[in-house]
Amino acid sequence: MIAKSSSFLIILSAPSGGGKSTILNEVLRRAENIDYSISYTTRAPRGAEQNGIHYHYVSEADFEQRIASGDFLEYAKVFGKSWYGTSISFIKSRLQLCRHVIMDIDVQGASQIAATDVPYVKIFIIPPSMAVLKERLVKRGTDSPEDIQRRLDTAKKELKCIPDYEYLVVNDDLGQAVNDVMAIIRAEENRSTRYQNPMQGFLEQEN
Ligand code: 5GP
């Protein structure tokens, strides 16, 4: 029998406020074979965020210690302000269980992962326009005007990385954007190169 294709990382990147977390949560709700990678960060919790659910909140010293111990698959300083990183042990444990891991990381982290041998698919999500992005950030009400400006400036730079992503999803209609991400994951599961020796599996039961 042909074995299931191997699991992979689903990397979502988007300008902050692009609706990425909403899409991500909906994908997690719908899919049974995907786990979320909770990042480590040195930034403080925002609003109702909780440690161990939205992020693992750690001090700069703790983060540096983890870098030195090789705990991160990737890490980066985002908005020139706080550190963010992905736990290598969590990723490995999930992939070994044949589960996909979805993550919300910036363009620097995504390119670091692309340079490893961990299987992945990279999806970039954007709102329909810069004006919509600004409006969403202001409405969110969690960031200072300086932070909003910093996030918008970063967004402009990040858009230049779109060609490095296999897929682009425009988040105009949330339901449609979630459908698109689900469709991409499904297609990637069927990518022929993700199967290990499918021909052998097929021929095994020749008689
Ligand atoms: P926020 O502070 O709004 O939660 O996230 C800020 C940015 O950090 C977002 O662009 C998000 O994708 C990115 N980010 C979150 N976790 C990680 C991570 O583990 N690694 C990297 N490189 N970026 C991350």
Side-chain angles (χ1 to χ4, degrees), residues 14 16 20 39 43 46 55 74 76 78-79 84-86 104-106 109 151:
S16 173
K20 188 179 35 180
S39 297
R43 90 152 159 73
R46 210 167 47 204
Y55 283 104
E74 63 72 37
V78 185
F79 309 131
Y84 296 81
T86 302
D104 159 358
I105 64 174
D106 87 319
R151 281 165 193 269

Side-chain angles (χ1 to χ4, degrees), residues 22-35 99 102 173-186 189:
T22 320
I23 294 174
L24 199 147
N25 287 329
E26 187 54 24
V27 169
L28 282 170
R29 201 181 64 76
R30 286 198 209 170
E32 284 171 358
N33 57 342
I34 306 179
D35 294 317
R99 296 181 64 77
I102 195 164
D173 175 87
L174 179 65
Q176 188 55 53
V178 174
N179 288 343
D180 287 352
V181 172
M182 295 295 290
I184 291 165
I185 296 169
R186 193 81 187 117
E189 284 175 337

Side-chain angles (χ1 to χ4, degrees), residues 83-164:
W83 289 97
Y84 296 81
T86 302
S87 158
I88 213 164
S89 58
F90 177 79
I91 302 288
K92 287 207 166 146
S93 69
R94 296 289 113 179
L95 292 181
Q96 263 162 16
L97 292 173
C98 298
R99 296 181 64 77
H100 303 312
V101 179
I102 195 164
M103 56 181 62
D104 159 358
I105 64 174
D106 87 319
V107 296
Q108 307 171 74
S111 78
Q112 286 176 37
I113 290 182
T116 70
D117 57 2
V118 181
Y120 67 87
V121 57
K122 290 191 290 173
I123 309 172
F124 201 93
I125 298 171
I126 41 169
S129 70
M130 199 69 182
V132 172
L133 179 62
K134 187 169 184 182
E135 188 189 310
R136 285 186 189 164
L137 281 173
V138 172
K139 262 197 197 151
R140 186 161 85 174
T142 49
D143 302 284
S144 66
E146 298 77 44
D147 269 335
I148 290 180
Q149 196 48 54
R150 197 172 5 233
R151 281 165 193 269
L152 291 173
D153 292 344
T154 305
K156 275 189 204 153
K157 285 187 208 138
E158 288 185 338
L159 292 181
K160 295 197 184 117
C161 298
I162 289 175
D164 299 335

